[in-house]
Amino acid sequence: MWKRFSLRARIFLLLTALVCTTLLGALVTLWHTRAMDSLLTSLIDKNVASFQAAEQLETSLLQQKGYLTYYFLDGNPDWLKQMEQHQQAFGEWLQKARKSAYTEAMEGILRQIDTDYQAYIKSREQVINLYRQGEQEAGVKRHWEVRRQFVDLLNLCERYKLMHEYAISRARTESQTQARFINAFALAALPVVAILGMLLAYILIKQILGPIRSLTLETAPASREAPGPDEVKALSRRVHSLIENVDQAQSELERSQEHLLQSGKWAMVGKLAAGVAHSIRNPLTSVNMRLFSLKRSLAMSPSQKEDFEVISEEIRHLDAIVRNFLEFSRPPKLKMQRISPSDVVDAAVELLRYRLESYGVAVKLLRDTKLPEILADPDQLKEVLANLLVNAYEVMVSGGVITIREEQSLDPALGQTVIIRVSDTGPGISESVRDQLFQPFFSTKEEGTGLGLSIATRIIEDHGGRLDLEANEDEGATFVITLPLRED
Ligand code: ADP
């Protein structure tokens, strides 16, 4: 039954029960305090005042005792005067008692006292008259009657006083019953509140904090330490890092999607290029051979020789284009070995030294120590560097400086990497062509094939790395080769 409720409903129910019990407890305590207050007030206001009047009534009656006997003994009228004073006091207390009487029974008994007292006074006066007239015998006889009336009256006064004592003790019992009830209620409410609180705590820990903790642990990478005491904060940190991972994964996905698209395009173009290159290469080779034998057999004039050289140069250029196409369509398999990329940099610079000098381009090498060895194909890597260097000196028509900076770094996607940065002091690359730069057959040069950067990118990606263009529009271009520093 309990399990059928949702977590939210369970927490809500428990909280409601907890709040209701606590509120009920507070209300009962409030009610009890008020009840006690009114009980005490009534006890003080009514009972005590009324009880006092009852006591005084009895006392003033008792004070009237004996005077008649004293008068009988010595006939002194002062006794009668004193008795009258007490009689007056009795009358006043009777008035007060009537005012403070608060039940029917009390009023009834007071009426009775009043009637009997009047009768008693009458009888007493008769006795006084008899004593005054000297009828001692009849007086004494009547005196006995008066004594009996006095005792009856005293009993009535005593009853009246007892009535108050009874009312006070009843009020006390009532307050004790209430106190007992409050105690019992508090005793019953305490375990209920404790159980409800524990249940709530159990649900919070087991069904909210527990899952949050395990979720945090599950989402945490294995290498990270356990979450701290604040589960919600830890979870929010994890969720943040997950969102970051998702963002990273998304951009990687976009990259690979683009790469895939590119590969498709490449495959098509590659087939076409391979076909064309093949068809051109054979006639080109035969033209080249014929030219060579003609050069040897013919005696040429200087201008003919010059024409001959131009033709040979153009054929070499054509051959280079065809070679590029063939390489692009059928990339050679990587021959991996452990090498330091610094050696490859040196080899590439050495290979192009003559041409760099003829273009008036200086090479500045920024290297602290040689880069550590990585698994790579030195020839392919040299081709990439040569491509970048050729592109650089080709854009610096009136000379300049190529800076090669070697570094090691920690890449978020590749881990430990080696970085080779090739910068030139050429015109730079405008924002508008940046996106097309790495696409095959994109070239701004009159005689360019637009394959150099595509081939370089593919070689670097085959090595598990990246070829990027750093953003600097006016101050030359910087190409960055990033290669993973893997153990295997
Ligand atoms: P190609 O050299 O045959 O044009 P690439 O793929 O090597 O083909 O280069 C593509 C284009 O990228 C070049 O035509 C040129 O516009 C631009 N480019 C490459 N390197 C640089 C550089 N260092 N500075 C300015 N532009 C460059």
Side-chain angles (χ1 to χ4, degrees):
M1 165 77 175
W2 178 245
K3 293 218 162 143
R4 263 195 285 150
F5 290 120
S6 67
L7 185 62
R8 196 185 148 128
R10 274 187 249 175
I11 290 179
F12 180 74
L13 278 176
L14 276 174
L15 261 176
T16 313
L18 203 67
V19 168
C20 283
T21 319
T22 317
L23 267 179
L24 199 70
L27 281 176
V28 170
T29 316
L30 220 74
W31 164 78
H32 176 68
T33 318
R34 289 191 74 137
M36 287 302 281
D37 188 43
S38 74
L39 201 75
L40 271 172
T41 314
S42 82
L43 211 69
I44 292 163
D45 289 359
K46 289 193 307 191
N47 292 19
V48 173
S50 191
F51 180 69
Q52 231 176 10
E55 248 186 354
Q56 290 299 331
L57 198 68
E58 193 183 13
T59 313
S60 61
L61 184 70
L62 275 171
Q63 279 169 342
Q64 293 172 45
K65 199 181 165 188
Y67 288 108
L68 205 56
T69 313
Y70 305 149
Y71 181 69
F72 165 71
L73 290 175
D74 61 7
N76 189 348
D78 281 350
W79 298 120
L80 296 181
K81 264 191 203 144
Q82 282 184 40
M83 193 177 70
E84 251 168 55
Q85 276 170 11
H86 291 304
Q87 182 183 324
Q88 210 173 339
F90 182 86
E92 280 165 14
W93 279 115
L94 189 63
Q95 280 299 321
K96 278 187 191 163
R98 272 198 166 142
K99 270 188 204 149
S100 61
Y102 52 91
T103 62
E104 271 289 310
M106 284 176 187
E107 280 164 9
I109 207 164
L110 280 175
R111 270 197 302 275
Q112 176 80 47
I113 289 172
D114 194 16
T115 322
D116 288 5
Y117 188 67
Q118 295 309 323
Y120 164 70
I121 290 173
K122 221 180 218 169
S123 308
R124 209 168 59 180
E125 270 165 10
Q126 281 170 3
V127 173
I128 295 166
N129 282 339
L130 284 172
Y131 284 151
R132 269 191 194 137
Q133 286 157 14
E135 293 176 32
Q136 302 289 353
E137 207 175 319
V140 169
K141 213 171 163 190
R142 190 88 181 106
H143 197 160
W144 276 110
E145 181 71 18
V146 169
R147 278 199 189 98
R148 195 190 43 76
Q149 276 182 308
F150 180 84
V151 172
D152 287 349
L153 249 176
L154 197 65
N155 282 342
L156 267 179
C157 285
E158 186 66 28
R159 250 178 70 199
Y160 183 60
K161 208 173 86 182
L162 279 174
M163 211 174 239
H164 285 89
E165 276 176 2
Y166 174 70
I168 287 171
S169 94
R170 208 179 47 203
R172 194 186 298 134
T173 323
E174 213 172 287
S175 93
Q176 278 172 348
T177 318
Q178 264 185 28
R180 265 201 296 277
F181 167 71
I182 279 288
N183 277 352
F185 182 81
L187 275 176
L190 270 178
V192 171
V193 170
I195 288 170
L196 285 175
M198 279 193 294
L199 263 173
L200 202 67
Y202 172 80
I203 286 192
L204 280 176
I205 291 169
K206 185 94 184 157
Q207 296 189 332
I208 296 178
L209 292 181
I212 286 181
R213 209 179 164 79
S214 50
L215 200 68
T216 315
L217 281 172
E218 273 167 33
T219 51
S223 58
R224 289 207 195 146
E225 77 289 356
D230 192 340
E231 284 84 354
V232 179
K233 225 182 207 167
L235 183 67
S236 122
R237 268 206 305 273
R238 296 280 189 260
V239 169
H240 265 290
S241 81
L242 274 182
I243 290 171
E244 269 170 29
N245 285 355
V246 168
D247 283 350
Q248 209 173 313
Q250 191 177 349
S251 52
E252 262 170 38
L253 208 77
E254 277 166 10
R255 272 175 78 105
S256 58
Q257 208 173 12
E258 205 176 306
H259 184 69
L260 235 116
L261 249 159
Q262 210 80 294
S263 310
K265 220 156 112 187
W266 279 27
M268 240 177 66
V269 179
K271 264 188 197 164
L272 199 78
V276 175
H278 248 297
S279 323
I280 295 175
R281 198 154 203 203
N282 291 341
L284 207 65
T285 318
S286 111
V287 169
N288 217 5
M289 277 166 62
R290 295 291 160 107
L291 264 178
F292 186 71
S293 56
L294 270 176
K295 193 181 170 187
R296 281 175 56 180
S297 58
L298 280 178
M300 287 181 279
S301 66
S303 74
Q304 278 175 327
K305 259 188 185 165
E306 203 176 304
D307 288 344
F308 211 87
E309 275 311 312
V310 171
I311 292 168
S312 297
E313 185 55 40
E314 288 303 318
I315 284 174
R316 259 202 302 279
H317 185 63
L318 269 175
D319 193 48
I321 293 172
V322 170
R323 221 184 30 248
N324 254 344
F325 267 82
L326 276 175
E327 195 174 314
F328 173 72
S329 55
R330 271 191 256 116
K333 238 177 145 336
L334 292 179
K335 294 188 193 98
M336 298 297 237
Q337 62 187 78
R338 294 207 76 82
I339 42 134
S340 162
S342 298
D343 292 337
V344 183
V345 170
D346 292 342
V349 174
E350 191 53 44
L351 184 77
L352 295 170
R353 179 173 301 282
Y354 172 71
R355 278 211 257 166
L356 285 163
E357 274 169 14
S358 67
Y359 272 81
V361 172
V363 176
K364 202 160 101 188
L365 193 59
L366 301 177
R367 174 190 296 159
D368 293 335
T369 48
K370 256 173 74 170
L371 288 172
E373 288 190 346
I374 60 164
L375 260 186
D377 181 332
D379 289 336
Q380 297 285 308
L381 219 53
K382 192 162 74 186
E383 191 173 335
V384 173
L385 277 157
N387 262 330
L388 297 183
L389 291 173
V390 170
N391 275 343
Y393 71 63
E394 275 184 353
V395 290
M396 293 189 286
V397 274
S398 46
V401 180
I402 296 176
T403 309
I404 305 174
R405 183 193 292 270
E406 295 177 0
E407 292 163 18
Q408 282 190 64
S409 167
L410 187 71
D411 187 275
L414 302 176
Q416 275 293 340
T417 53
V418 295
I419 292 175
I420 303 163
R421 221 176 275 271
V422 182
S423 317
D424 60 55
T425 50
I429 295 160
S430 65
E431 195 68 49
S432 54
V433 298
R434 267 169 195 274
D435 292 343
Q436 294 146 277
L437 217 62
F438 294 93
Q439 284 176 12
F441 309 111
F442 172 80
S443 178
T444 55
K445 297 170 195 165
E446 240 175 67
E447 291 180 347
T449 57
L451 288 174
L453 287 177
S454 309
I455 291 170
T457 307
R458 198 182 47 208
I459 292 173
I460 295 298
E461 284 180 357
D462 284 350
H463 279 79
R466 263 194 336 253
L467 178 63
D468 300 300
L469 171 66
E470 229 166 49
N472 45 339
E473 201 165 323
D474 312 319
E475 303 163 357
T478 302
F479 286 88
V480 186
I481 302 170
T482 310
L483 290 165
L485 186 76
R486 293 207 192 103
E487 288 299 313
D488 51 352

